[in-house]
């Protein structure tokens, strides 16, 4: 008959995860563990893109809390301007009202032990006039195929974007710098510039014109911009 010849299989030793619970330096900040809350898009802001008060509980629940959660908390995608906001009722940080609303949210997260990072985005060709009230802009007139979710959750066909001019790029650069300053005013420890895929289209245009020094990893993640450094100084990682 058959037989199970050979040596018995040896169970693999469990992975050592202890390093996850050690601190790590991120820029000028010490993060208490190596767990991060990834930025997850939310549509919970007001029609004026002001984040809700209950977001303080949402982020604080997920922060460090004596080791139960994430030491590094990255916010949902946060608009730098109405032009760049491609998600209905996503929060922004371009206005005084928005900045003030972020303050208790950031404070609650930091009180729970988290280092708070605000992710800033301009969604480029992934936006829609029904959301922004403005023309869609991108590096070139290349339209996304299919439909996207627009105001009040309605699916609509995408629109062909208008290529950014140099003046338009100046505006995007200024919007990123202002949003970064507002994020710092709201108490954020760091900012992250969202640059992936269609949502990074406007940043791609800025980079093409060499308006800023963009240093990226092999995976394309943006780690540093001269534009924001002038505005927020030693707050940059």
């Amino acid at each position: 008959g058959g037989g199970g010849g050979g040596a018995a299989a040896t169970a693999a030793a469990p992975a050592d995860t202890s390093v996850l619970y050690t601190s790590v330096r991120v820029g000028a900040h010490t993060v208490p563990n190596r767990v991060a809350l990834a930025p997850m898009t939310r549509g919970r802001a007001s029609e004026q893109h002001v984040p809700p008060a209950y977001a303080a509980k949402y982020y604080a629940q997920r922060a460090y809390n004596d080791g139960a959660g994430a030491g590094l908390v990255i916010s949902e995608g946060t608009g730098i301007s109405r032009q760049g906001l491609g998600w209905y009722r996503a929060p922004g940080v371009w206005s005084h009202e928005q900045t003030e609303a972020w303050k208790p949210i950031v404070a609650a997260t930091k009180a729970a032990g988290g280092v708070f990072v605000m992710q800033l985005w301009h969604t480029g060709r992934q936006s829609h006039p029904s959301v922004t009230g403005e023309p869609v802009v991108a590096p070139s007139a290349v339209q996304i195929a299919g439909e996207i979710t627009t105001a009040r959750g309605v699916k609509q066909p995408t629109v062909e974007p208008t290529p950014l001019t140099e003046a338009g790029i100046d505006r995007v650069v200024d919007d990123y710098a202002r949003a970064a300053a507002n994020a710092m005013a709201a108490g954020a420890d760091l900012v992250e510039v969202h640059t992936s895929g269609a949502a990074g289209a406007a940043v791609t245009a800025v980079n093409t014109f060499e308006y800023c020094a963009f240093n990226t990893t092999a995976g394309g993640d943006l780690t540093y911009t001269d534009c924001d450094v002038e505005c927020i100084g030693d707050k940059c990682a």
Side-chain angles (χ1 to χ4, degrees):
T10 303
D16 182 6
T17 59
S18 60
V19 69
L20 283 173
Y21 305 102
T22 60
S23 63
V24 63
R25 194 79 171 163
V26 178
H29 303 275
T30 299
V31 179
N33 62 18
R34 297 171 188 242
V35 179
L37 174 69
M40 296 180 286
T41 302
R42 293 288 178 262
R44 298 171 173 172
S46 71
E47 293 280 350
Q48 290 72 44
H49 308 287
V50 177
Y54 64 77
K57 183 176 181 180
Y58 170 83
Y59 284 109
Q61 285 177 331
R62 289 156 177 78
Y64 182 63
N65 291 299
D66 296 323
L72 188 71
V73 175
I74 307 174
S75 79
E76 61 210 280
T78 303
I80 63 166
S81 65
R82 182 169 292 280
Q83 177 201 68
L85 196 64
W87 196 270
Y88 178 58
R89 293 184 65 174
V93 70
W94 66 82
S95 74
H96 175 75
E97 184 181 8
Q98 292 162 349
T99 303
E100 290 299 305
W102 274 111
K103 288 181 178 180
I105 299 168
V106 175
T109 306
K110 294 168 76 168
V115 172
F116 192 92
V117 183
M118 190 173 294
Q119 187 189 73
L120 305 177
W121 68 355
H122 185 301
T123 60
R125 63 181 184 157
Q126 200 168 345
S127 64
H128 195 275
S130 73
V131 175
T132 65
E134 298 192 19
V136 175
V137 297
S140 56
V142 178
Q143 185 173 348
I144 300 174
E147 297 181 324
I148 58 174
T149 302
T150 65
R152 295 170 179 80
V154 177
K155 291 280 189 179
Q156 294 193 50
T158 61
V159 299
E160 182 178 300
T162 301
L164 279 166
T165 62
E166 290 192 36
I169 291 170
D170 283 337
R171 173 182 171 180
V172 174
V173 170
D174 290 343
D175 287 343
Y176 267 109
R178 182 178 62 251
N182 288 346
M184 294 299 110
D189 297 301
L190 298 162
V191 298
E192 177 186 82
V193 179
H194 186 295
T195 62
S196 65
V203 176
T204 302
V206 174
N207 194 25
T208 300
F209 279 83
E210 298 181 352
Y211 274 59
C212 307
F214 288 106
N215 301 322
T216 59
T217 65
D221 294 325
L222 188 71
T223 56
Y224 178 90
T225 75
D226 279 347
C227 298
D228 286 347
V229 168
E230 292 182 10
C231 191
I232 58 180
D234 62 2
K235 296 290 187 179
C236 283

